[in-house]
Amino acid sequence: MEVVKFEALQDIMETNSEKVEVINFWATWCKPCIAEIPYFQKLHETNDEVRVTLVSLDFADEFQKKVMPFVEKNGISADVILLDNIDYNSWIDKVDPSWSGAIPATLVINHKNGKRKFVEKELEEGEIESIVMELTD
Amino acid sequence: MQALKALALTGILLLSNFGSKENGLGVGDKAADFNLKNVDGKMISLSSNKAAKGYILVFTCNTCPYANMYEQRIIDLHNKYAGQGYPVLAIQPNDTGKSPGDSFENMQARAKEKAYPFPYVIDETQQTTTTYGATNTPQVYVLNKVSDNNFRVEYIGAIDNNSRNASAASKHYVQEAVDSLIAGADVSTKSTKAIGCTIKWSN
């Protein structure tokens, strides 16, 4: 769990890795985000081929007060980073040009076959598994 | 072959760029009119305010924390620009079944509590939100009057580049857009993106 700049996220998006990268954008204030976090935690626990990164868009000065307690209370063991850059317009398109900026949003990248999928909506139970499957050949 | 590939790639990039607006209005488009109920019970359309030279149309709501953070800034924009012909017109786009905190009664309470100096209308059918292609709250469409009952979209996006702290923002997108229109100049930054809440759509 740490506070990072955009370059750290860019590393995850661009560096070749053996695992399918599942990157979820959320915040403690976002109710639909909180609702789907258990699905990502479950994916993290059950699928070794996947690396889940939960990117918090809470404010950096609230990391200890809001994000850390949330992670502890909910027993989240997937990677959690807080992206500390509120000049949103400078980086949203770099995640995906189709992203309006609304959260929750999720990016899945399989570096091994170059497949990538971005979704801007709250996922139903089982949906993230289907997306991972879709990107695995 | 390389050139063809580059051309195809450019095409894809262009398409994906337009993709975010494929179901809505873009900058330069004629603004769609509407007839929506204000918190005072009156119906509001773009032609309701005869003095308007344009509008700062804001898709916003009661429940989104980002909309709350920008609430005072929206009031300030109205107070600064209404007298110059560019009033705020706020549209609540969320389905009230999905987001009860945004019900008409709750909108009325919020508008009263904060003494909104501008109309706060509800898009009950979500048709206007769909037509504009609004994606999140808060999201601004700056409109400029071209002729009678004919407004053009001049800017789409965020209010400024610091949700946390208005006084720390280094770019004031909406102010810059409206100032340009008042000066009769082109808007230089025509669209921006910001983190916000999803629109709560009915099923």
Side-chain angles (χ1 to χ4, degrees):
Chain A
M1 262 206 287
E2 59 178 338
V3 176
V4 302
K5 293 294 177 188
F6 186 73
E7 290 66 33
L9 177 61
Q10 219 157 11
D11 261 358
I12 299 171
M13 293 193 294
E14 289 170 8
T15 309
N16 280 329
S17 69
E18 288 300 303
K19 298 199 173 190
V20 175
E21 300 289 348
V22 173
I23 304 166
N24 172 252
F25 296 89
W26 68 291
T28 57
W29 52 262
C30 166
K31 280 188 202 158
C33 304
I34 301 309
E36 64 176 14
I37 285 211
Y39 310 147
F40 289 97
Q41 172 62 20
K42 184 176 152 227
L43 179 72
H44 164 73
E45 288 170 8
T46 56
N47 191 337
D48 282 345
E49 307 292 309
V50 164
R51 175 166 71 152
V52 175
T53 307
L54 302 174
V55 182
S56 158
L57 297 172
D58 288 272
F59 296 121
D61 59 359
E62 293 181 341
F63 186 60
Q64 292 196 358
K65 195 175 79 193
K66 290 189 177 167
V67 182
M68 287 174 70
F70 177 87
V71 168
E72 274 161 36
K73 183 174 155 228
N74 292 282
I76 296 167
S77 54
D79 287 351
V80 176
I81 55 177
L82 185 149
L83 177 54
D84 179 21
N85 184 338
I86 61 171
D87 191 359
Y88 306 120
N89 191 54
S90 70
W91 57 266
I92 286 175
D93 276 343
K94 293 178 189 169
V95 174
D96 197 279
S98 74
W99 188 12
S100 77
I103 56 173
T106 302
L107 174 64
V108 182
I109 304 170
N110 185 344
H111 288 293
K112 287 191 286 188
N113 61 15
K115 288 183 183 171
R116 185 182 206 278
K117 180 155 182 158
F118 179 80
V119 281
E120 177 179 326
K121 62 165 191 162
E122 182 184 348
L123 299 173
E124 309 278 333
E125 186 161 21
E127 210 173 344
I128 186 61
E129 280 84 358
S130 306
I131 294 172
V132 169
M133 194 85 82
E134 197 184 305
L135 265 58
T136 312
D137 39 27
Chain B
M1 195 59 208
Q2 283 303 98
L4 262 180
K5 267 187 193 165
L7 199 66
L9 190 65
T10 311
I12 290 164
L13 285 174
L14 279 174
L15 282 174
S16 61
N17 236 343
F18 285 125
S20 59
K21 279 283 145 212
E22 66 189 355
N23 297 317
L25 300 182
V27 171
D29 287 347
K30 181 179 192 291
D33 207 349
F34 44 76
N35 199 31
L36 300 173
K37 190 165 70 171
N38 188 19
V39 285
D40 66 4
K42 292 186 182 136
M43 302 303 285
I44 296 281
S45 71
L46 290 177
S47 54
S48 298
N49 183 341
K50 302 291 178 211
K53 296 174 185 163
Y55 285 99
I56 300 170
L57 200 67
V58 189
F59 289 88
T60 189
C61 64
N62 284 13
T63 53
C64 174
Y66 273 67
N68 298 157
M69 280 188 280
Y70 274 106
E71 186 177 41
Q72 187 57 46
R73 280 176 257 189
I74 294 168
I75 293 170
D76 293 345
L77 280 171
H78 178 84
N79 290 337
K80 181 169 184 188
Y81 289 113
Q84 298 180 72
Y86 293 83
V88 164
L89 203 174
I91 300 179
Q92 197 291 97
N94 290 331
D95 177 69
T96 56
K98 285 279 175 59
S99 184
D102 290 316
S103 71
F104 188 67
E105 293 68 32
N106 284 323
M107 286 172 60
Q108 288 178 312
R110 187 80 183 194
K112 193 177 172 192
E113 183 193 337
K114 302 283 175 177
Y116 283 0
F118 46 75
Y120 185 29
V121 304
I122 185 164
D123 184 14
E124 279 170 308
T125 63
Q126 302 189 301
Q127 188 54 53
T128 298
T129 308
T130 305
T131 302
Y132 275 80
T135 48
N136 55 287
T137 53
Q139 188 177 26
V140 177
Y141 287 67
V142 173
L143 311 183
N144 198 32
K145 192 172 188 171
V146 186
S147 56
D148 272 355
N149 296 327
N150 183 3
F151 293 84
R152 188 167 56 209
V153 179
E154 299 284 357
Y155 170 81
I156 302 173
I159 289 169
D160 60 35
N161 70 342
N162 194 316
S163 52
R164 179 66 152 157
N165 182 355
S167 59
S170 59
K171 290 170 187 151
H172 302 90
Y173 306 120
V174 169
Q175 283 188 45
E176 284 162 22
V178 178
D179 284 341
S180 298
L181 295 175
I182 290 171
D186 276 352
V187 175
S188 54
T189 301
K190 297 183 194 307
S191 69
T192 59
K193 291 179 173 182
I195 296 299
C197 306
T198 46
I199 306 268
K200 308 300 182 285
W201 299 101
S202 68
N203 285 331

